[in-house]
Amino acid sequence: MEIPQLWLKKARENSTSQSEYKCKKCNDTGYISVIIEGVSYAKECECLIVNKLEAQIAKAGIAQAFKACTFESFEPWEPRVFAAKEIAQRYAKDFLSIERERINSLSLLGAVGSGKTMLGICVLNTLVRAGVEVLYTPYREMASALKRSVLDEYEYAKVCRRFTSPRLLFIDDLYKGAASTDPKYVYDIINARYLAKRPMLITSELHADGLMHIDEAVASRIIEMSRSYIRELRGDGLNYRLRGL
Ligand SMILES: [Zn+2]
């Protein structure tokens, strides 16, 4: 999780509400009615989808990052970070047209503190506003949830579905703090999404070869799916926490 203070400050400044209803589309009910062939249906309002994502991010302890991380406010401090921003932005722009393709995922790999989580959240922030159902999960949380349920077949299937069904799954910090039994669980999720051509957004401190070293089957699927949208950040001077030292 990599969120610098500057972004947190911006988020606080932007968070004051200006109208009675936060959402004018649904008057804060979370639903709007749509009429299809003369029949009226309740449909989730965009604000409900946005709120769900905000709750997921808050649960991970980076609540302020949600409002702060937009492509408009993300200022790259380094040419390599600039290139990563460019690819993330292109991915967000292309998403709706590549979603069902073989190559439909984004991977940001490498250096600690290089803004990978922030850029991933910028992508989510853009897509939820286009009505895309996304799930953000820190890697550790996903691995623990799967492990906890593994002895109960029904429960395990249910937990798997939580990670395989959203239109876009963001796994933040893949393999961070992984135990030796982790790869099996990770495989179940990645493979299911691979087979169903469901997009993923992956960040990891490991490079592609490091991912391959842990589990070739998982790594090769991720790399194949993000072939057009993959960035490895290597070398010194990338960590925003060390800027100015
Ligand atoms: Zn609404």
Side-chain angles (χ1 to χ4, degrees), residues 75-93:
E75 287 158 28
W77 51 90
E78 223 275 341
R80 285 163 292 179
V81 178
F82 183 85
K85 178 184 174 179
E86 220 167 39
I87 208 158
Q89 213 163 3
R90 182 158 61 81
Y91 177 74
K93 190 168 148 278

PDB file of all heavy atoms in Angstrom, residues 75-93:
ATOM      1  N   GLU A  75       0.440  13.032 -10.196  1.00  0.00           N
ATOM      2  CA  GLU A  75       1.551  13.708 -10.885  1.00  0.00           C
ATOM      3  C   GLU A  75       2.806  12.850 -10.799  1.00  0.00           C
ATOM      4  O   GLU A  75       3.381  12.711  -9.729  1.00  0.00           O
ATOM      5  CB  GLU A  75       1.795  15.082 -10.253  1.00  0.00           C
ATOM      6  CG  GLU A  75       0.719  16.098 -10.612  1.00  0.00           C
ATOM      7  CD  GLU A  75       0.633  17.245  -9.619  1.00  0.00           C
ATOM      8  OE1 GLU A  75       1.663  17.565  -8.987  1.00  0.00           O
ATOM      9  OE2 GLU A  75      -0.474  17.794  -9.467  1.00  0.00           O
ATOM     10  N   PRO A  76       3.226  12.271 -11.916  1.00  0.00           N
ATOM     11  CA  PRO A  76       4.419  11.416 -11.888  1.00  0.00           C
ATOM     12  C   PRO A  76       5.653  12.228 -11.507  1.00  0.00           C
ATOM     13  O   PRO A  76       5.811  13.353 -11.961  1.00  0.00           O
ATOM     14  CB  PRO A  76       4.542  10.912 -13.324  1.00  0.00           C
ATOM     15  CG  PRO A  76       3.236  11.200 -13.968  1.00  0.00           C
ATOM     16  CD  PRO A  76       2.671  12.396 -13.273  1.00  0.00           C
ATOM     17  N   TRP A  77       6.506  11.648 -10.666  1.00  0.00           N
ATOM     18  CA  TRP A  77       7.686  12.376 -10.182  1.00  0.00           C
ATOM     19  C   TRP A  77       8.956  11.903 -10.901  1.00  0.00           C
ATOM     20  O   TRP A  77      10.049  12.309 -10.564  1.00  0.00           O
ATOM     21  CB  TRP A  77       7.836  12.154  -8.664  1.00  0.00           C
ATOM     22  CG  TRP A  77       7.788  10.713  -8.257  1.00  0.00           C
ATOM     23  CD1 TRP A  77       8.847   9.852  -8.150  1.00  0.00           C
ATOM     24  CD2 TRP A  77       6.628   9.961  -7.918  1.00  0.00           C
ATOM     25  NE1 TRP A  77       8.418   8.602  -7.776  1.00  0.00           N
ATOM     26  CE2 TRP A  77       7.058   8.643  -7.616  1.00  0.00           C
ATOM     27  CE3 TRP A  77       5.260  10.260  -7.825  1.00  0.00           C
ATOM     28  CZ2 TRP A  77       6.166   7.627  -7.248  1.00  0.00           C
ATOM     29  CZ3 TRP A  77       4.390   9.240  -7.449  1.00  0.00           C
ATOM     30  CH2 TRP A  77       4.848   7.951  -7.172  1.00  0.00           C
ATOM     31  N   GLU A  78       8.752  11.078 -11.927  1.00  0.00           N
ATOM     32  CA  GLU A  78       9.889  10.350 -12.481  1.00  0.00           C
ATOM     33  C   GLU A  78       9.469   9.824 -13.857  1.00  0.00           C
ATOM     34  O   GLU A  78       8.322   9.408 -14.023  1.00  0.00           O
ATOM     35  CB  GLU A  78      10.107   9.168 -11.529  1.00  0.00           C
ATOM     36  CG  GLU A  78      11.513   8.849 -11.154  1.00  0.00           C
ATOM     37  CD  GLU A  78      12.135   7.953 -12.192  1.00  0.00           C
ATOM     38  OE1 GLU A  78      11.395   7.326 -12.961  1.00  0.00           O
ATOM     39  OE2 GLU A  78      13.378   7.917 -12.247  1.00  0.00           O
ATOM     40  N   PRO A  79      10.360   9.828 -14.856  1.00  0.00           N
ATOM     41  CA  PRO A  79       9.963   9.372 -16.204  1.00  0.00           C
ATOM     42  C   PRO A  79       9.400   7.948 -16.223  1.00  0.00           C
ATOM     43  O   PRO A  79       8.451   7.678 -16.967  1.00  0.00           O
ATOM     44  CB  PRO A  79      11.261   9.435 -17.005  1.00  0.00           C
ATOM     45  CG  PRO A  79      12.130  10.395 -16.280  1.00  0.00           C
ATOM     46  CD  PRO A  79      11.749  10.339 -14.840  1.00  0.00           C
ATOM     47  N   ARG A  80       9.960   7.052 -15.388  1.00  0.00           N
ATOM     48  CA  ARG A  80       9.446   5.674 -15.400  1.00  0.00           C
ATOM     49  C   ARG A  80       8.032   5.604 -14.809  1.00  0.00           C
ATOM     50  O   ARG A  80       7.194   4.819 -15.230  1.00  0.00           O
ATOM     51  CB  ARG A  80      10.395   4.748 -14.619  1.00  0.00           C
ATOM     52  CG  ARG A  80      11.674   4.436 -15.385  1.00  0.00           C
ATOM     53  CD  ARG A  80      12.740   3.892 -14.481  1.00  0.00           C
ATOM     54  NE  ARG A  80      13.214   4.921 -13.544  1.00  0.00           N
ATOM     55  CZ  ARG A  80      14.139   4.732 -12.601  1.00  0.00           C
ATOM     56  NH1 ARG A  80      14.667   3.529 -12.429  1.00  0.00           N
ATOM     57  NH2 ARG A  80      14.515   5.714 -11.811  1.00  0.00           N
ATOM     58  N   VAL A  81       7.778   6.474 -13.815  1.00  0.00           N
ATOM     59  CA  VAL A  81       6.428   6.536 -13.235  1.00  0.00           C
ATOM     60  C   VAL A  81       5.471   7.157 -14.257  1.00  0.00           C
ATOM     61  O   VAL A  81       4.321   6.742 -14.388  1.00  0.00           O
ATOM     62  CB  VAL A  81       6.436   7.327 -11.904  1.00  0.00           C
ATOM     63  CG1 VAL A  81       5.038   7.425 -11.323  1.00  0.00           C
ATOM     64  CG2 VAL A  81       7.388   6.681 -10.896  1.00  0.00           C
ATOM     65  N   PHE A  82       5.981   8.110 -15.014  1.00  0.00           N
ATOM     66  CA  PHE A  82       5.191   8.730 -16.081  1.00  0.00           C
ATOM     67  C   PHE A  82       4.746   7.659 -17.092  1.00  0.00           C
ATOM     68  O   PHE A  82       3.582   7.595 -17.491  1.00  0.00           O
ATOM     69  CB  PHE A  82       6.024   9.815 -16.779  1.00  0.00           C
ATOM     70  CG  PHE A  82       5.266  10.557 -17.842  1.00  0.00           C
ATOM     71  CD1 PHE A  82       4.463  11.642 -17.511  1.00  0.00           C
ATOM     72  CD2 PHE A  82       5.342  10.165 -19.177  1.00  0.00           C
ATOM     73  CE1 PHE A  82       3.752  12.317 -18.489  1.00  0.00           C
ATOM     74  CE2 PHE A  82       4.629  10.835 -20.156  1.00  0.00           C
ATOM     75  CZ  PHE A  82       3.834  11.915 -19.816  1.00  0.00           C
ATOM     76  N   ALA A  83       5.696   6.789 -17.458  1.00  0.00           N
ATOM     77  CA  ALA A  83       5.382   5.723 -18.420  1.00  0.00           C
ATOM     78  C   ALA A  83       4.349   4.753 -17.841  1.00  0.00           C
ATOM     79  O   ALA A  83       3.465   4.271 -18.558  1.00  0.00           O
ATOM     80  CB  ALA A  83       6.656   4.980 -18.807  1.00  0.00           C
ATOM     81  N   ALA A  84       4.449   4.490 -16.537  1.00  0.00           N
ATOM     82  CA  ALA A  84       3.479   3.592 -15.895  1.00  0.00           C
ATOM     83  C   ALA A  84       2.099   4.234 -15.876  1.00  0.00           C
ATOM     84  O   ALA A  84       1.082   3.580 -16.119  1.00  0.00           O
ATOM     85  CB  ALA A  84       3.934   3.258 -14.473  1.00  0.00           C
ATOM     86  N   LYS A  85       2.076   5.543 -15.628  1.00  0.00           N
ATOM     87  CA  LYS A  85       0.793   6.249 -15.627  1.00  0.00           C
ATOM     88  C   LYS A  85       0.163   6.178 -17.014  1.00  0.00           C
ATOM     89  O   LYS A  85      -1.040   5.939 -17.153  1.00  0.00           O
ATOM     90  CB  LYS A  85       0.969   7.718 -15.218  1.00  0.00           C
ATOM     91  CG  LYS A  85      -0.347   8.495 -15.265  1.00  0.00           C
ATOM     92  CD  LYS A  85      -0.197   9.972 -14.967  1.00  0.00           C
ATOM     93  CE  LYS A  85      -1.539  10.678 -15.198  1.00  0.00           C
ATOM     94  NZ  LYS A  85      -1.496  12.104 -14.911  1.00  0.00           N
ATOM     95  N   GLU A  86       1.003   6.354 -18.021  1.00  0.00           N
ATOM     96  CA  GLU A  86       0.518   6.346 -19.392  1.00  0.00           C
ATOM     97  C   GLU A  86      -0.176   5.023 -19.742  1.00  0.00           C
ATOM     98  O   GLU A  86      -1.256   4.991 -20.331  1.00  0.00           O
ATOM     99  CB  GLU A  86       1.705   6.557 -20.327  1.00  0.00           C
ATOM    100  CG  GLU A  86       1.414   7.447 -21.480  1.00  0.00           C
ATOM    101  CD  GLU A  86       2.713   7.854 -22.179  1.00  0.00           C
ATOM    102  OE1 GLU A  86       3.614   6.993 -22.309  1.00  0.00           O
ATOM    103  OE2 GLU A  86       2.816   9.005 -22.568  1.00  0.00           O
ATOM    104  N   ILE A  87       0.461   3.923 -19.310  1.00  0.00           N
ATOM    105  CA  ILE A  87      -0.104   2.623 -19.663  1.00  0.00           C
ATOM    106  C   ILE A  87      -1.388   2.355 -18.864  1.00  0.00           C
ATOM    107  O   ILE A  87      -2.355   1.801 -19.386  1.00  0.00           O
ATOM    108  CB  ILE A  87       0.950   1.502 -19.489  1.00  0.00           C
ATOM    109  CG1 ILE A  87       0.637   0.364 -20.459  1.00  0.00           C
ATOM    110  CG2 ILE A  87       1.034   0.979 -18.084  1.00  0.00           C
ATOM    111  CD1 ILE A  87       1.816  -0.511 -20.766  1.00  0.00           C
ATOM    112  N   ALA A  88      -1.411   2.807 -17.601  1.00  0.00           N
ATOM    113  CA  ALA A  88      -2.609   2.624 -16.778  1.00  0.00           C
ATOM    114  C   ALA A  88      -3.774   3.422 -17.366  1.00  0.00           C
ATOM    115  O   ALA A  88      -4.913   2.945 -17.435  1.00  0.00           O
ATOM    116  CB  ALA A  88      -2.329   3.062 -15.340  1.00  0.00           C
ATOM    117  N   GLN A  89      -3.458   4.615 -17.812  1.00  0.00           N
ATOM    118  CA  GLN A  89      -4.489   5.488 -18.383  1.00  0.00           C
ATOM    119  C   GLN A  89      -5.021   4.905 -19.701  1.00  0.00           C
ATOM    120  O   GLN A  89      -6.217   4.932 -19.965  1.00  0.00           O
ATOM    121  CB  GLN A  89      -3.872   6.864 -18.630  1.00  0.00           C
ATOM    122  CG  GLN A  89      -4.834   7.990 -18.452  1.00  0.00           C
ATOM    123  CD  GLN A  89      -4.139   9.337 -18.290  1.00  0.00           C
ATOM    124  OE1 GLN A  89      -2.907   9.440 -18.368  1.00  0.00           O
ATOM    125  NE2 GLN A  89      -4.915  10.369 -18.065  1.00  0.00           N
ATOM    126  N   ARG A  90      -4.097   4.365 -20.502  1.00  0.00           N
ATOM    127  CA  ARG A  90      -4.504   3.755 -21.766  1.00  0.00           C
ATOM    128  C   ARG A  90      -5.392   2.539 -21.484  1.00  0.00           C
ATOM    129  O   ARG A  90      -6.394   2.304 -22.148  1.00  0.00           O
ATOM    130  CB  ARG A  90      -3.261   3.343 -22.566  1.00  0.00           C
ATOM    131  CG  ARG A  90      -3.579   2.740 -23.926  1.00  0.00           C
ATOM    132  CD  ARG A  90      -2.408   2.839 -24.890  1.00  0.00           C
ATOM    133  NE  ARG A  90      -1.207   2.136 -24.437  1.00  0.00           N
ATOM    134  CZ  ARG A  90      -1.019   0.814 -24.561  1.00  0.00           C
ATOM    135  NH1 ARG A  90      -1.963   0.050 -25.095  1.00  0.00           N
ATOM    136  NH2 ARG A  90       0.094   0.248 -24.143  1.00  0.00           N
ATOM    137  N   TYR A  91      -5.031   1.772 -20.443  1.00  0.00           N
ATOM    138  CA  TYR A  91      -5.820   0.595 -20.085  1.00  0.00           C
ATOM    139  C   TYR A  91      -7.244   1.005 -19.692  1.00  0.00           C
ATOM    140  O   TYR A  91      -8.224   0.407 -20.157  1.00  0.00           O
ATOM    141  CB  TYR A  91      -5.147  -0.161 -18.931  1.00  0.00           C
ATOM    142  CG  TYR A  91      -5.942  -1.354 -18.470  1.00  0.00           C
ATOM    143  CD1 TYR A  91      -5.983  -2.514 -19.244  1.00  0.00           C
ATOM    144  CD2 TYR A  91      -6.681  -1.317 -17.297  1.00  0.00           C
ATOM    145  CE1 TYR A  91      -6.736  -3.605 -18.849  1.00  0.00           C
ATOM    146  CE2 TYR A  91      -7.439  -2.406 -16.894  1.00  0.00           C
ATOM    147  CZ  TYR A  91      -7.459  -3.547 -17.676  1.00  0.00           C
ATOM    148  OH  TYR A  91      -8.213  -4.626 -17.279  1.00  0.00           O
ATOM    149  N   ALA A  92      -7.341   2.026 -18.856  1.00  0.00           N
ATOM    150  CA  ALA A  92      -8.670   2.483 -18.412  1.00  0.00           C
ATOM    151  C   ALA A  92      -9.499   2.927 -19.619  1.00  0.00           C
ATOM    152  O   ALA A  92     -10.699   2.649 -19.701  1.00  0.00           O
ATOM    153  CB  ALA A  92      -8.522   3.614 -17.407  1.00  0.00           C
ATOM    154  N   LYS A  93      -8.848   3.579 -20.558  1.00  0.00           N
ATOM    155  CA  LYS A  93      -9.530   4.090 -21.745  1.00  0.00           C
ATOM    156  C   LYS A  93      -9.996   2.929 -22.643  1.00  0.00           C
ATOM    157  O   LYS A  93     -11.093   2.953 -23.190  1.00  0.00           O
ATOM    158  CB  LYS A  93      -8.572   5.007 -22.508  1.00  0.00           C
ATOM    159  CG  LYS A  93      -9.196   5.800 -23.621  1.00  0.00           C
ATOM    160  CD  LYS A  93      -8.217   6.885 -24.098  1.00  0.00           C
ATOM    161  CE  LYS A  93      -8.377   7.163 -25.572  1.00  0.00           C
ATOM    162  NZ  LYS A  93      -7.649   6.197 -26.446  1.00  0.00           N
TER     163      LYS A  93
END
